[in-house]
């Protein structure tokens, strides 16, 4: 059985800027949008491509969905070369990108979705049934007969997402599907994506995002890319483990504890730090332990001293930490600029 | 093979539907696309009446005025369409779909033809009634044939421009602007093209409307034959050739646009 998606040394360059801008340099500067990307994605996988702005995410999706030719290397979708046999590839895929403004303002939501279903030769009855189902799932039914020129961004984005699912493609490309959506709508969209892949075993989704939490929560495996290069590719939990960064326990107690050195003596405590909070009369304690089971020894010691634990939390490394360690910069910072 | 044909037919109808519905949904078209053209047509009628031109000129003008609907449709909704579709983000969705790209163009053309026809019929019927146009149809069959061929060639031209305009990007808009008025003159919407002189008339015949109008006038009005540019049968022959030529050219322009766009990354918008 072939991979759902496979890329072999996939490379794409663009000429930088317009010609007139760099008239002094003879050779145009090249942007490496994708730089020898090797990826394999299995059928049934929900695969995420995580990267900052300009990392090459959209370029990857455009090549795989036959809208752009690679400069070199090969892209295979269900074993078919996207550059050589685009017609065959198109029968297996669909694509939705975040923030797209597709459709015709004069048609209603339902009519627009039906129109796009016709490009896949769907029977009208079947198509309308699926459209209604999906609109129900995303809580959009009352917008069904509204002209799309009247839709809010969120609703419009939901409609786009539905468009991707109506024709039930074997492989679905989603380019930043939750871009600019509020928390509630993002959650609904993610739920739909997840349930679609889980219910239908052979369906594959390749989605790009620059939201860490989304990749973490949604994806079976994640490739982290920056400047067109794949820096790491694994399941979110493996990526985090690979960081070899320890989990940190935060404990807040209700007294200004003294003689704190004894916490260092507890077996299993690798590192210990504290901070007194005089204005509240409390103390923050931080522990790094050999493993989680030693936490009971720590809490025991605290209660032996007659103080109460107000809160206890454990902080594990996030994909953000993985990203920072790989790229030397944060992802979220960039979103804010 | 069979399913492929079915998919393409569905795609044609799907794309045409946008315009079938659009033709009636916004009633403002009645003013901007039917009444205004009727007014400009009427003003030509009065000019001819004031100049005491032969009676058939009224019919010439009404026919020309009705046919402008198709020209405007081809220019604004065919030639410039891929460019707008790209701006809206629809083009990439069409290109990702498992259909022939020609199906999209055919869908646009079919829908556009219907939409333009509603306008054309309005101008034609209302104009003919108001000015009591006298029709003397020599051959209804030939008249229908020449109308049909004109439309095929005209929309073929629009399809060809559609791909080329998309590649030219923003300039497409200006180019469209540039074409509109000169063609009004060259195609003889409001006068027999023969008045331009035989050579210019012949050159203008590259635009399918010129011969179409000329032929239709010859076949529908009493004094039509005398003011005709070429023999009607010859005009039909040329229109057949133009139809085939533009359809084939449209096919290749489309291919060229797609390949070029895929190579240079111009099929989609950058900002995504
Ligand atoms: N058509 C194009 N012409 C020139 N350069 C391009 C083109 N498309 C993309 N690029 C450049 O290629 C690089 C990768 O772009 P791409 O759109 O793939 O990034 P991305 O990861 O999708 O970013 P974003 O998060 O902003 O969507 C960027 O530097 C971009 O400017
Ligand atoms: Mg992008």
């Amino acid at each position: 059985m072939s991979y759902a998606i496979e890329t072999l040394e996939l490379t794409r360059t663009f000429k930088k800027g317009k010609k007139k801008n760099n008239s002094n340099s003879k050779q145009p500067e090249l942007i490496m949008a994708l730089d020898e990307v090797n990826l394999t994605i299995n059928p049934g996988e929900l695969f995420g491509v995580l990267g900052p702005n300009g990392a090459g995410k959209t370029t990857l999706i455009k090549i795989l969905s036959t809208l752009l030719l690679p400069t070199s290397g090969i892209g295979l979708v269900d074993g078919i070369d996207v550059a050589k046999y685009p017609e065959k590839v198109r029968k297996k895929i669909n694509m939705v990108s975040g923030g797209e403004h597709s459709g015709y303002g004069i048609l209603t939501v339902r009519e627009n979705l039906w129109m796009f279903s016709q490009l896949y030769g769907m029977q009208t009855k079947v198509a309308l049934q699926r459209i209604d189902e999906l609109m129900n799932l995303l809580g959009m039914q009352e917008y069904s007969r509204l002209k799309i020129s009247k839709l809010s961004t969120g609703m419009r984005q939901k409609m786009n997402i539905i468009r991707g699912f109506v024709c039930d493609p074997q492989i679905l490309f989603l380019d930043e599907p939750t871009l600019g959506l509020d928390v509630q709508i993002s959650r609904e969209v993610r739920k739909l994506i997840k349930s679609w892949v889980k219910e239908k075993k052979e369906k594959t989704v390749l989605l790009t995002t620059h939201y860490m939490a989304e990749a973490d929560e949604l994806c079976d495996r994640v490739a982290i890319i920056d400047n067109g290069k794949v820096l790491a590719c694994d399941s979110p939990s493996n990526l985090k483990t690979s960081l070899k960064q320890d989990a940190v326990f935060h404990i807040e107690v209700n007294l200004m504890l003294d003689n704190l050195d004894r916490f260092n003596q507890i077996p299993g405590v690798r590192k210990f730090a504290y901070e007194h909070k005089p204005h509240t009369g409390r103390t923050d304690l931080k522990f790094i332990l050999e493993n989680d089971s030693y936490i009971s020894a720590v809490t025991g010691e605290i209660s032996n001293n007659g103080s109460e634990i107000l809160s206890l939390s454990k902080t594990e490394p996030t994909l953000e930490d993985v990203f920072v360690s790989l790229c030397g910069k944060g992802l979220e910072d960039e979103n804010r600029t | 093979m069979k399913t492929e044909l079915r998919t393409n037919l569905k795609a044609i109808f799907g794309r045409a539907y946008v315009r079938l519905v659009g033709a009636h949904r916004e009633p403002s078209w009645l003013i901007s696309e039917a009444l205004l053209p009727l007014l400009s047509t009427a003003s030509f009628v009065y000019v001819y009446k004031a100049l005491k031109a032969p009676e058939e000129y009224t019919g010439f003008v009404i026919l020309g005025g009705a046919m402008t609907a198709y020209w405007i449709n081809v220019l604004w909704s065919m030639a410039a369409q891929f460019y707008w579709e790209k701006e809206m983000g629809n083009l990439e969705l069409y290109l990702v779909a498992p259909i022939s790209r020609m199906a999209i163009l055919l869908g646009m053309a079919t829908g556009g033809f219907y939409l333009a026809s509603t306008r054309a019929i309005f101008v034609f019927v209302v104009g003919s009634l108001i000015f009591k146009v006298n029709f003397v149809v020599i051959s209804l069959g030939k008249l229908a044939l020449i109308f049909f061929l004109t439309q095929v060639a005209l929309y073929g031209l629009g399809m060809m421009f559609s791909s080329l305009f998309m590649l030219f990007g923003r300039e497409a808009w200006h180019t469209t602007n540039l074409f509109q008025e000169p063609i009004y003159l060259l195609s003889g919407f409001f006068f027999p093209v023969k008045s331009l002189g035989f050579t210019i008339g012949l050159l203008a015949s590259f635009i399918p409307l010129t011969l179409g109008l000329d032929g239709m006038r010859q076949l529908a009005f009493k004094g039509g034959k005398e003011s005709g540019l070429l023999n009607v049968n010859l005009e039909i022959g040329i229109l057949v050739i133009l139809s085939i030529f533009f359809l084939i050219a449209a096919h290749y322009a489309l291919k060229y646009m797609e390949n070029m766009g895929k190579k240079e990354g111009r099929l989609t918008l950058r900002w995504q």
Side-chain angles (χ1 to χ4, degrees):
Chain A
M1 194 178 60
S2 57
Y3 292 112
I5 296 165
E6 185 177 9
T7 68
L8 303 160
E9 313 276 302
L10 195 66
T11 301
R12 171 75 211 202
T13 57
F14 289 107
K15 288 194 195 93
K16 195 170 195 169
K18 294 250 184 269
K19 275 163 210 143
K20 53 192 168 193
N21 290 354
N22 35 322
S23 46
N24 42 357
S25 63
K26 271 183 202 133
Q27 270 191 331
E29 231 182 302
L30 287 183
I31 300 171
M32 275 281 183
L34 291 177
D35 192 357
E36 308 200 334
V37 168
N38 292 301
L39 286 174
T40 53
I41 301 170
N42 296 310
E45 239 183 328
L46 210 174
F47 191 91
V49 175
L50 183 65
N53 293 130
K57 305 182 294 293
T58 301
T59 304
L60 177 67
I61 287 207
K62 281 183 188 167
I63 292 177
L64 292 173
S65 58
T66 77
L67 291 172
L68 186 68
L69 287 174
T71 309
S72 66
I74 297 174
L76 302 168
V77 167
D78 199 29
I80 306 165
D81 189 324
V82 290
K84 281 197 190 130
Y85 307 105
E87 296 86 5
K88 287 189 182 154
V89 171
R90 289 182 195 124
K91 293 197 172 126
K92 300 173 185 282
I93 63 169
N94 203 344
M95 177 202 61
V96 178
S97 35
E100 71 180 49
H101 273 268
S102 58
Y104 297 93
I106 200 160
L107 300 186
T108 66
V109 175
R110 199 162 182 259
E111 286 170 331
N112 263 295
L113 287 168
W114 169 82
M115 200 276 287
F116 283 110
S117 78
Q118 295 310 287
L119 308 180
Y120 294 80
M122 289 184 80
Q123 276 188 311
T124 294
K125 212 177 127 203
V126 180
L128 289 178
Q129 199 182 332
R130 285 233 358 114
I131 290 166
D132 291 340
E133 262 171 43
L134 286 160
M135 277 200 287
N136 272 333
L137 266 177
L138 284 187
M140 254 199 111
Q141 55 278 39
E142 68 262 45
Y143 296 88
S144 149
R145 278 160 218 282
L146 200 69
K147 281 191 200 163
I148 65 164
S149 49
K150 306 225 157 64
L151 288 182
S152 66
T153 316
M155 285 302 147
R156 192 148 186 157
Q157 183 66 352
K158 277 190 186 180
M159 179 189 79
N160 293 338
I161 300 278
I162 291 175
R163 197 199 71 239
F165 286 99
V166 169
C167 68
D168 206 26
Q170 190 179 327
I171 295 161
L172 180 59
F173 297 103
L174 299 172
D175 194 6
E176 314 219 21
T178 59
L179 188 73
L181 297 181
D182 67 29
V183 180
Q184 173 62 28
I185 297 181
S186 302
R187 196 176 299 144
E188 287 168 8
V189 167
R190 275 184 219 138
K191 208 172 115 193
L192 175 69
I193 298 170
K194 202 162 190 165
S195 65
W196 187 72
V197 179
K198 293 294 165 268
E199 272 164 31
K200 316 196 175 188
K201 287 280 173 284
E202 291 304 294
K203 304 286 183 186
T204 309
V205 170
L206 171 66
L207 73 83
T208 71
T209 180
H210 59 242
Y211 301 126
M212 291 291 172
E214 180 162 294
D216 199 351
E217 176 200 320
L218 206 57
C219 300
D220 300 321
R221 281 193 307 144
V222 172
I224 293 179
I225 70 170
D226 191 22
N227 290 323
K229 284 200 183 64
V230 177
L231 303 176
C233 177
D234 212 328
S235 66
S237 64
N238 282 351
L239 284 173
K240 287 183 275 191
T241 319
S242 72
L243 245 195
K244 300 213 167 53
Q245 183 176 310
D246 303 294
V248 179
F249 287 90
H250 293 259
I251 300 176
E252 196 185 9
V253 297
N254 69 339
L255 293 176
M256 301 271 278
L257 289 179
D258 43 47
N259 192 15
L260 286 156
D261 262 357
R262 62 206 142 97
F263 285 106
N264 268 323
Q265 260 85 68
I266 302 173
V269 172
R270 272 226 313 265
K271 275 186 193 158
F272 166 68
Y274 66 91
E275 192 187 339
H276 283 308
K277 301 251 169 98
H279 56 285
T280 55
R282 294 172 179 177
T283 310
D284 271 357
L285 309 169
K286 282 184 186 175
F287 296 91
I288 292 174
L289 306 175
E290 300 288 342
N291 70 54
D292 291 1
S293 64
Y294 291 103
I295 190 69
S296 56
V298 171
T299 53
E301 181 63 34
I302 293 171
S303 45
N304 282 347
N305 277 274
S307 69
E308 234 174 81
I309 294 176
L310 296 172
S311 69
L312 188 157
S313 64
K314 180 182 171 192
T315 317
E316 286 187 279
T318 61
L319 272 186
E320 174 87 37
D321 301 323
V322 178
F323 190 86
V324 171
S325 83
L326 287 169
C327 306
K329 64 181 176 203
L331 234 191
E332 309 291 344
D333 320 337
E334 256 185 61
N335 299 336
R336 300 222 174 93
T337 53
Chain B
M1 198 51 216
K2 223 175 171 180
T3 54
E4 233 155 81
L5 181 67
R6 213 188 54 208
T7 305
N8 279 304
L9 287 175
K10 277 178 180 291
I12 293 175
F13 180 67
R15 184 59 188 81
Y17 179 81
V18 180
R19 289 190 175 157
L20 300 187
V21 172
H24 308 294
R25 202 160 271 183
E26 313 240 292
S28 62
W29 73 267
L30 219 87
I31 294 177
S32 63
E33 291 170 61
L35 276 173
L36 289 181
L38 190 64
L39 284 181
S40 57
T41 307
S43 66
F44 276 96
V45 173
Y46 286 121
V47 169
Y48 284 131
K49 279 196 195 292
L51 294 174
K52 304 211 162 32
E55 194 213 344
E56 63 264 24
Y57 271 59
T58 307
F60 287 0
V61 171
I62 302 283
L63 187 65
M67 294 293 277
T68 53
Y70 296 104
W71 175 240
I72 290 175
N73 185 254
V74 162
L75 214 49
W76 293 105
S77 301
M78 285 298 300
Q81 193 62 24
F82 268 165
Y83 173 75
W84 292 121
E85 300 277 15
K86 177 184 165 187
E87 295 290 303
M88 291 192 288
N90 290 331
L91 184 66
E92 55 192 276
L93 306 183
Y94 291 133
L95 296 180
V96 163
I99 42 168
S100 151
R101 284 83 185 86
M102 280 300 265
I104 294 306
L105 284 174
L106 281 174
M108 286 184 339
T110 325
F113 173 73
Y114 173 82
L115 189 135
S117 294
T118 57
R119 280 70 170 149
I121 289 170
F122 180 87
V123 172
F124 184 75
V125 171
V126 176
S128 303
L129 288 177
I130 293 177
F131 297 106
K132 302 197 179 59
V133 177
N134 200 5
F135 294 98
V136 182
V137 178
I138 299 167
S139 158
L140 197 61
K142 273 191 191 170
L143 188 63
L145 179 66
I146 215 164
F147 175 76
F148 173 76
L149 286 172
T150 305
Q151 297 303 339
V152 175
L154 188 61
Y155 279 89
L157 176 85
M159 289 170 162
M160 178 185 82
F161 276 151
S162 204
S163 302
L164 298 180
F165 277 17
M166 204 221 80
L167 281 177
F168 298 139
R170 278 227 160 266
E171 278 85 69
W173 201 82
H174 303 293
T175 321
T176 311
N177 255 335
L178 222 63
F179 272 110
Q180 188 162 344
E181 297 297 328
I183 300 284
Y184 276 151
L185 178 68
L186 281 178
S187 289
F189 275 106
F190 298 114
F191 56 87
V193 72
K194 203 179 181 182
S195 330
L196 289 173
F198 187 74
T199 328
I200 297 185
L202 206 61
L203 285 177
S205 301
F206 194 66
I207 304 146
L209 267 174
T210 313
L211 285 183
L213 265 173
D214 193 75
M216 285 164 73
R217 280 172 181 154
Q218 289 193 50
L219 291 167
F221 301 104
K222 202 171 86 232
K225 206 157 172 73
E226 287 72 56
S227 50
L229 184 70
L230 301 168
N231 177 288
V232 172
N233 290 337
L234 183 59
E235 292 188 332
I236 290 178
I238 296 176
L239 280 173
V240 170
I241 294 170
L242 283 180
S243 299
I244 296 171
F245 171 79
F246 284 131
L247 285 176
I248 293 176
H251 174 76
Y252 282 104
L254 194 55
K255 265 207 156 138
Y256 177 76
M257 179 271 278
E258 198 183 347
N259 289 337
M260 192 74 165
K262 275 174 88 164
K263 245 184 237 150
E264 299 189 349
R266 278 158 63 182
L267 292 182
T268 51
L269 292 171
R270 269 289 298 284
W271 51 266
Q272 281 166 349

